[in-house]
Amino acid sequence: MTVGGNQQVMLSVRFAEVQRSVIKELGFNTALIGRPGDLTLSLVTGVGIPADTFGGGGASLDTSRVTLQGIFDALEDKGVVKTLAEPNLIVLSGGTADFLAGGEFPIPVAQTTNAGGTTITIEFKQFGVSLAFSPTVLDGSLMNLVLNTEVSSIDSTVSVQYDNIVVPGLSVRRTTTQVELRDGQTFAIAGLLQDNFRDQAQQLPWLGDVPVLGTLFRSANYNRNQTELVVIITPRLVKPTVPGALAAPTDRFQMPTELDFFLKGELEGAPAAAALAQGGGLGGSYGYIVK
């Protein structure tokens, strides 16, 4: 049995993710202290201004019998995070290739020794953009793909502390699947649309339910997070090309002269005309940075 055509497969993967978050907070903290004779009565609805508050203020009224203090805090936080990764990898039909652009961070692991004690060893966990796939050319341009893709980053918000050692967690977007495609066809193999909403109110019983005036005895928090994620793959049958026909991101980069760096503040020099004429620079649709 023979299969005609090219047997080298390039897989192009796109991770596209956008995260949006909105946080709003408004709180009122009051303290009322009365001193009828030798007796002191107090009513407190909060303890100062939180450390993560963007704006706040307060007022105080003090007499010989009554002390009234009021503090308010306000916060509005908006954020957008965009993640885009485009790993490309080539492998022969029937083989397996893997790709990782990222790093490894150490994790302490407790193990029991032969004497019955405990010792700490270090293991390393990979993170970053990884791609592993095994293509099989079935007939002509039809290909069967078994692939594993992942984008991960260190997330300190899910860290774990053990014996004064802080181990960070990972934020992971991962997919494992098997599909059949023809040369140049595209699949969106994974997608995620997530919308989380949470609001919270803290108030003094009964007083917080009073219309209008109840606002002075209530603190409210509003939190909404939206995530949109899609993973798109495109396999292609490829052939090698002649040297110099492909552009590299270093072709256009030129070191600045001392005059450009110290006097003009330029971090890069002008691209060399010879490099552009020889097929370097921005030749080809390779997605390198364009100014």
Side-chain angles (χ1 to χ4, degrees):
M1 181 180 66
T2 61
V3 179
N6 299 326
Q7 298 296 299
Q8 295 184 112
V9 180
M10 182 187 76
L11 184 65
S12 175
V13 180
R14 296 181 62 195
F15 292 87
E17 181 181 15
V18 175
Q19 299 180 4
R20 303 177 182 90
S21 62
V22 177
I23 299 175
K24 295 181 180 181
E25 296 180 357
L26 181 62
F28 292 90
N29 304 326
T30 58
L32 177 62
I33 302 175
R35 293 178 290 273
D38 296 333
L39 182 64
T40 300
L41 302 176
S42 62
L43 173 64
V44 180
T45 64
V47 185
I49 298 179
D52 58 350
T53 296
F54 184 79
S60 177
L61 175 62
D62 191 1
T63 66
S64 60
R65 294 292 184 180
V66 177
T67 299
L68 176 61
Q69 295 178 342
I71 300 175
F72 77 92
D73 56 86
L75 169 67
E76 182 175 1
D77 188 356
K78 299 180 181 180
V80 176
V81 178
K82 172 187 173 183
T83 301
L84 176 63
E86 298 188 26
N88 297 329
L89 196 59
I90 297 177
V91 67
L92 192 64
S93 174
T96 300
D98 60 85
F99 167 92
L100 173 65
E104 297 181 345
F105 67 95
I107 299 177
V109 179
Q111 295 184 351
T112 303
T113 62
N114 295 331
T118 302
T119 183
I120 300 297
T121 60
I122 300 298
E123 294 184 0
F124 287 87
K125 176 68 176 179
Q126 293 182 346
F127 70 94
V129 180
S130 65
L131 167 64
F133 81 108
S134 302
T136 302
V137 179
L138 301 178
D139 183 15
S141 61
L142 181 63
M143 291 168 280
N144 180 283
L145 301 175
V146 179
L147 66 149
N148 300 274
T149 59
E150 178 180 310
V151 173
S152 59
S153 58
I154 295 178
D155 188 357
S156 59
T157 61
V158 292
S159 60
V160 177
Q161 184 172 356
Y162 173 77
D163 195 17
N164 296 327
I165 300 176
V166 179
V167 180
L170 287 178
S171 176
V172 180
R173 284 78 76 194
R174 179 189 299 124
T175 179
T176 300
T177 187
Q178 182 175 1
V179 295
E180 283 190 0
L181 289 174
R182 292 193 178 274
D183 178 26
Q185 291 183 332
T186 298
F187 251 152
I189 61 171
L192 171 66
L193 179 60
Q194 187 175 2
D195 191 344
N196 297 328
F197 169 78
R198 179 180 63 86
D199 58 359
Q200 181 181 10
Q202 295 177 326
Q203 66 182 30
L204 195 68
W206 303 299
L207 293 179
D209 295 327
V210 177
V212 183
L213 293 179
T215 306
L216 301 176
F217 303 94
R218 183 170 58 242
S219 296
N221 177 279
Y222 169 96
N223 192 333
R224 185 175 185 181
N225 296 286
Q226 293 180 317
T227 300
E228 298 176 71
L229 169 67
V230 64
V231 180
I232 301 173
I233 63 167
T234 303
R236 291 185 175 90
L237 296 173
V238 295
K239 293 181 180 180
T241 185
V242 296
L246 300 178
T250 54
D251 293 344
R252 192 174 186 272
F253 178 81
Q254 295 292 324
M255 295 181 59
T257 63
E258 294 184 358
L259 178 63
D260 292 335
F261 180 71
F262 290 104
L263 186 61
K264 300 181 180 179
E266 299 289 344
L267 300 180
E268 299 181 25
L276 296 176
Q278 295 177 1
L282 300 178
S285 56
Y286 301 98
Y288 299 137
I289 297 174
V290 180
K291 294 185 177 180

